[in-house]
Amino acid sequence: MPVTRTQVGIVGAGPAGLMLGHLLHLRGIDSVIVENRSREHVIDRVRAGVLEQGTVDLMTAAGVAQRLHREGMRHGGIGIAFGGNRHRIALAELTAGRAITIYGQNEVVKDLIDARLETGRPVYFEVDRVGVHDLTTAQPKLRFHHGGDAHEVTCDVVAGCDGFHGICRTAIPATHLRVYERDYPFGWLGVLASAPPTSDELVYSLHDRGFALFSMRSPSITRLYLQCAPDENAEDWSDDRIWAELTARLSTSDGWAPAVGPILQKGVTGMRSFVAEPMRYGRLFLAGDAAHIVPPTGAKGLNLAMADVYRLAEAIAEHSTSVREDALDAYSDRGLRRTWRAQRFSWWMTSMLHRSESDNAFDRRRQLAELDYLVGSRAAMTSLAENYVGVPFD
Ligand code: APR
Ligand code: PHB
């Protein structure tokens, strides 16, 4: 079995693992990335698409934002619709110019894979039997099979960037991990449609029939979501049924409605809040979905992953030059603070905008009162805006 050495062994080539590899590369730090899916699968996976200001700034500083600046759609506001009316929350005006940029997560991943390949540093796709070992020693190990051959990589640090279903978190003994979670009694049916966006900005809507979200990917592609049952089969939703429901839930009294067009792709995702504490075990550090999941309503998943790897890259760089452990020691606590802030925000957005079977008539009126207060109060809108655009990375 070939035994090689690297400074950082990275499990997972999603946005977290790839961005970490790139930030380390910029610091002259070597890494090996292993990914169990194919490169095509990782690039084609349709996911969320809202980048916080901090994510855009990080990608720009890291030199991987050329296409993002060309094709990304910068939005200075979002719409909130309820009771048949649409209201605007002026994100940029309320946050001294911070904004969000719409750019699909799969485009981010594509750009980061291109950047990785350009560096010539290793990234192995379609690996299997990935394992992490000797985590509480100074020489943790990554083992995997690639093309039928067994590999072992000795590392200084292992980064668990392998998403919620990965192996890194589960390699931590249960006695060292505390888990907090909440499942929601609904899911999102997400569709990608060949239809020009009829609004320049996203619209989040609460309707008697449930939540709906209007988003986009380009001047000719709309991205839309509908609240549905968590175990619903997307194939039970015909194009006609999808458009009838979207039109009913999104149309507002000012005459606005989404444009109808051919549906290119559809799928159902469940919604959960999840936090694993701490984000470290010995020399294993968890980042992104491996450590925490947020419901998509606040658009925080990808951005939390980016904030994690920014912090982790800084901490590893400090450790590699000074052998100081302070930043590595602070990694988890600092990350959990940001994570819990995003958890609160995502839970709040989710509960404000979804219909729940267990809600009674009082809950529904309270929900409408919350929305009414939100769009009528500059203080309330500012609170939403500063969380939505994201606090600067630290
Ligand atoms: N070995 C190697 N790779 C693995 C393994 C494993 N055992 N298990 C999972 N992976 C890979 C997955 O195939 C995936 O490509 O790890 C990667 C994890 O990527 P993501 O799930 O995208 O997670 P992350 O990089 O943390 O990105 C954050 O933001 O919008 C949210 O949930 C969304 O994916 C998104 C996330
Ligand atoms: C998306 O465009 O995919 C999107 C936008 C906002 C969200 C979630 C997803 O809250």
Side-chain angles (χ1 to χ4, degrees):
M1 167 161 73
V3 178
T4 50
R5 220 204 90 73
T6 189
Q7 287 169 284
V8 184
I10 301 177
V11 185
L18 289 164
M19 190 65 176
L20 177 63
H22 193 69
L23 293 172
L24 294 172
H25 161 75
L26 295 174
R27 304 266 193 169
I29 297 173
D30 190 37
S31 64
V32 170
I33 306 180
V34 296
E35 162 63 51
N36 61 359
R37 310 303 294 258
S38 70
R39 180 177 165 190
E40 296 69 33
H41 177 89
V42 171
I43 291 175
D44 290 344
R45 229 168 11 196
V46 179
R47 295 269 183 92
V50 174
L51 308 191
E52 287 179 3
Q53 184 72 54
T55 297
V56 173
D57 294 346
L58 180 66
M59 289 181 64
T60 304
V64 288
Q66 292 84 346
R67 200 160 66 91
L68 162 63
H69 287 294
R70 263 198 328 272
E71 298 174 18
M73 304 162 98
R74 189 178 158 88
H75 289 184
I78 54 168
I80 300 277
F82 62 97
N85 296 315
R86 196 157 49 120
H87 308 263
R88 180 167 191 265
I89 299 194
L91 299 174
E93 207 181 295
L94 292 163
T95 61
R98 293 172 75 76
I100 54 152
T101 300
I102 304 298
Y103 190 65
Q105 180 175 313
N106 51 323
E107 307 298 342
V108 172
V109 165
K110 186 169 185 299
D111 296 343
L112 290 174
I113 290 177
D114 288 348
R116 178 71 180 186
L117 296 177
E118 218 163 278
T119 67
R121 295 193 193 268
V123 48
Y124 296 93
F125 289 96
E126 297 179 75
V127 300
D128 61 16
R129 284 175 271 174
V130 180
V132 289
H133 305 273
D134 304 337
L135 299 175
T136 54
T137 72
Q139 301 273 275
K141 291 175 188 61
L142 200 60
R143 293 202 188 111
F144 59 96
H145 282 66
H146 183 250
D149 299 328
H151 292 255
E152 180 176 290
V153 186
T154 305
C155 317
D156 298 329
V157 163
V158 171
C161 302
D162 50 349
F164 185 67
H165 300 288
I167 52 101
C168 288
R169 192 182 62 253
T170 52
I172 302 177
T175 46
H176 285 74
L177 209 62
R178 175 130 196 220
V179 162
Y180 300 84
E181 60 190 318
R182 164 189 279 266
D183 282 329
Y184 296 86
F186 35 76
W188 278 13
L189 172 71
V191 309
L192 203 60
S194 173
T198 50
S199 159
D200 292 340
E201 295 174 347
L202 271 54
V203 180
Y204 288 82
S205 175
L206 174 65
H207 187 272
D208 284 344
R209 302 178 66 86
F211 169 79
L213 170 60
F214 173 91
S215 180
M216 64 203 72
R217 285 293 177 271
S218 75
S220 57
I221 303 286
T222 317
R223 175 83 173 143
L224 305 122
Y225 298 93
L226 281 172
Q227 177 183 349
C228 63
D231 53 357
E232 205 138 324
N233 182 355
E235 295 315 312
D236 292 343
W237 286 78
S238 67
D239 289 14
D240 285 350
R241 183 175 170 213
I242 290 173
W243 283 119
E245 206 57 42
L246 282 168
T247 306
R249 294 189 198 181
L250 285 168
S251 302
T252 44
S253 59
D254 54 3
W256 181 76
V260 173
I263 287 177
L264 308 172
Q265 204 257 11
K266 61 186 168 188
V268 172
T269 42
M271 315 243 298
R272 67 151 63 88
S273 301
F274 176 93
V275 183
E277 294 189 359
M279 297 168 69
R280 171 188 193 172
Y281 175 66
R283 285 294 178 92
L284 168 69
F285 294 83
L286 302 178
D289 278 15
H292 39 67
I293 296 284
V294 284
T297 327
K300 290 281 158 248
L302 169 63
N303 297 295
L304 271 180
M306 289 293 189
D308 281 348
V309 297
Y310 166 71
R311 215 171 50 254
L312 186 53
E314 295 283 305
I316 292 171
E318 181 189 290
H319 180 249
S320 76
T321 50
S322 68
V323 200
R324 289 174 61 121
E325 299 258 345
D326 309 28
L328 284 177
D329 288 344
Y331 170 76
S332 176
D333 284 350
R334 288 168 63 194
L336 286 169
R337 188 152 184 244
R338 187 180 191 94
T339 299
W340 279 109
R341 181 178 173 139
Q343 291 290 355
R344 185 214 62 88
F345 177 67
S346 307
W347 165 85
W348 172 72
M349 287 281 281
T350 302
S351 51
M352 178 171 67
L353 286 162
H354 290 74
R355 281 276 181 249
S356 176
E357 299 265 310
S358 60
D359 283 356
N360 64 17
F362 174 87
D363 296 317
R364 289 179 186 192
R365 291 300 284 264
R366 181 193 43 73
Q367 212 176 19
L368 292 174
E370 172 117 38
L371 285 161
D372 189 43
Y373 168 60
L374 169 66
V375 301
S377 156
R378 192 175 170 89
M381 285 192 283
T382 305
S383 170
L384 183 149
E386 68 180 6
N387 282 287
Y388 197 83
V389 300
V391 286
F393 288 6
D394 59 354

